[in-house]
Amino acid sequence: MKSTMLRSTVLWLILALAGLSAFPAAAQPASRVAMDPARTASLTAASRRIEDRFVADVARIVGTTSERVRRAMPDERRITSAASRLISALEVDLGTTLTPEQQAEILEADQARKLSLAKAREAAIGTQ
């Protein structure tokens, strides 16, 4: 019984993956539009400027160096609440609790960063 169920699950998985590979556009989210190299480079540079601004803002808010903030930043691809993790990491690194005002400013800077990144992506894709 278990063997039959396992076989049918594996077969279903193989068919599902085969179906996705037959339609690669369906497997990719709409936000993953292929861009030419110039637009990709422009988006990369814009993203870097936005991230640098965020790091500088957080360093100013907390009263530390940009390098220290960068070390404390989590990998956002794996973390759902990167700003909250950043706040926690900075508190550990600095050995002090950030004030509610500092935390609110960091969260606000993070929202501004996310909005700027989204606008930069839209601009890069929209100008094709």
Side-chain angles (χ1 to χ4, degrees), residues 16-127:
L17 290 174
L20 285 177
S21 65
F23 302 101
Q28 290 186 350
S31 64
R32 292 198 160 217
V33 176
M35 289 187 287
D36 62 56
R39 284 190 177 88
T40 301
S42 176
L43 177 59
T44 300
S47 297
R48 189 174 305 120
R49 283 190 303 274
I50 293 165
E51 293 291 340
D52 289 346
R53 171 71 187 255
F54 172 71
V55 168
D57 287 347
V58 171
R60 178 189 48 76
I61 292 165
V62 176
T64 190
T65 64
S66 295
E67 292 76 23
R68 206 165 187 179
V69 172
R70 283 195 192 283
R71 281 195 310 267
M73 287 180 69
D75 182 1
E76 190 166 310
R77 293 172 293 190
R78 293 198 231 155
I79 306 295
T80 56
S81 180
S84 296
R85 293 291 297 263
L86 174 59
I87 290 168
S88 297
L90 282 170
E91 288 178 334
V92 168
D93 187 49
L94 298 170
T96 185
T97 302
L98 299 179
T99 67
E101 293 80 16
Q102 288 174 313
Q103 292 179 21
E105 285 185 65
I106 291 171
L107 293 173
E108 186 177 313
D110 185 54
Q111 287 303 315
R113 176 184 67 90
K114 288 177 182 176
L115 181 62
S116 294
L117 288 170
K119 286 181 179 180
R121 278 191 292 274
E122 288 173 13
I125 292 169
T127 58

